[in-house]
Amino acid sequence: MTRTIYSKFNKEEIPFLPQVVFTGRIIVVTTDKMAEKAVDFLLTQPILGVDTETKPVFRKGQSNQVSLLQVSTHDTCFLFRLNVLGIPSSIKRLLENTKTPMIGLSLHDDISALRKRTDFNMGNFIDLQKVVGDIGIADLSLQKIYANVFHEKISKRQRLTNWDQAELSDKQKVYAATDAWACILLYEEIERLKLTGDYKLIKIENNLQELSNVNI
């Protein structure tokens, strides 16, 4: 089935789309031993989705260190609680790995936040923001890109919650896992569309929708 995508997706349509959530296993990692086992498993996988969460600040000049690193496969997501663990050698090994591709979005921000906890050499990271333009998408946010490609909604309601609290809520866990997992789905679908050309691109110019002659 040919996909219809837009150079820019209308954000006002997002609330009316069906919501998508990660339904696989979610494992919260809070000890060095758990982290070691999780990383050993993750590095056997063909592809990973990554994201981070940080406790929000509401006063100018304040900042917090990154609280959570979520790393997902197609069916399992590990939530590394960095506010408890810091970044042990096992997680550093994951971040520096040059074999398994790690897909994220706006990775410059995530990498900068992680490096404030410990310095590391950047491994095989792929930023979706540098990939979506290959099929004509100008959107940069995960929610808009996902809505554009899959016509489904990723809820952002948990984004400004307290990621340093003693126990993460179930809603926080699902939110964090969904963001990381969604990066895998987007990357794989974008690569498929690039290979097959199986999409129609509608260019949005001057608030008008204009059908492109490319890839129809």
Side-chain angles (χ1 to χ4, degrees):
M1 178 178 178
T2 300
R3 285 200 181 277
T4 298
I5 59 175
Y6 301 84
S7 59
K8 293 183 179 180
F9 194 82
N10 183 359
K11 66 179 181 181
E12 294 182 1
E13 295 181 16
I14 293 177
F16 303 100
L17 297 175
Q19 185 171 332
V20 62
V21 295
F22 179 70
T23 58
R25 291 190 303 162
I26 300 176
I27 301 171
V28 180
V29 180
T30 56
T31 69
D32 287 355
K33 185 175 181 179
M34 291 177 68
E36 190 74 40
K37 289 183 177 180
V39 170
D40 286 345
F41 169 76
L42 289 167
L43 290 179
T44 67
Q45 302 302 300
I47 190 170
L48 301 172
V50 299
D51 194 21
T52 66
E53 304 297 339
T54 301
K55 180 182 177 181
V57 295
F58 301 102
R59 292 184 181 180
K60 187 176 180 179
Q62 288 186 335
S63 63
N64 291 317
Q65 287 196 313
V66 58
S67 305
L68 190 73
L69 169 66
Q70 52 264 48
V71 186
S72 185
T73 70
H74 285 95
D75 58 15
T76 303
C77 185
F78 293 91
L79 307 182
F80 296 93
R81 300 212 65 188
L82 304 184
N83 59 315
V84 176
L85 288 164
I87 297 185
S89 59
S90 56
I91 295 179
K92 186 176 180 180
R93 176 162 57 94
L94 173 67
L95 298 173
E96 293 186 332
N97 111 82
T98 58
K99 181 179 178 182
T100 304
M102 297 173 287
I103 318 301
L105 185 131
S106 188
L107 282 171
H108 177 271
D109 296 335
D110 289 328
I111 297 298
S112 296
L114 290 165
R115 280 179 168 160
K116 288 179 180 178
R117 282 198 173 273
T118 192
D119 193 27
F120 60 92
N121 297 317
M122 191 168 72
N124 187 13
F125 286 96
I126 299 173
D127 195 328
L128 286 170
Q129 289 184 341
K130 297 181 179 180
V131 175
V132 293
D134 293 343
I135 57 172
I137 293 177
D139 293 324
L140 295 178
S141 77
L142 182 66
Q143 187 183 55
K144 287 188 72 175
I145 296 170
Y146 201 93
N148 201 341
V149 173
F150 292 114
H151 300 287
E152 293 178 319
K153 173 182 65 179
I154 295 177
S155 173
K156 307 305 289 183
R157 289 184 178 180
Q158 298 299 310
R159 183 171 68 89
L160 296 180
T161 56
N162 182 5
W163 295 98
D164 280 348
Q165 64 190 24
E167 297 289 338
L168 295 177
S169 69
D170 288 342
K171 289 183 178 180
Q172 284 179 308
K173 294 175 187 177
V174 171
Y175 168 86
T178 299
D179 276 7
W181 166 74
C183 289
I184 298 177
L185 302 191
L186 279 171
Y187 179 75
E188 291 181 335
E189 182 64 5
I190 290 167
E191 290 300 298
R192 186 188 74 82
L193 294 177
K194 286 165 58 176
L195 181 65
T196 64
D198 189 22
Y199 63 97
K200 292 189 297 184
L201 174 65
I202 298 178
K203 293 183 178 179
I204 308 300
E205 298 175 353
N206 299 322
N207 297 321
L208 295 175
Q209 293 188 349
E210 181 178 307
L211 188 63
S212 170
N213 290 323
V214 179
N215 296 313
I216 296 180

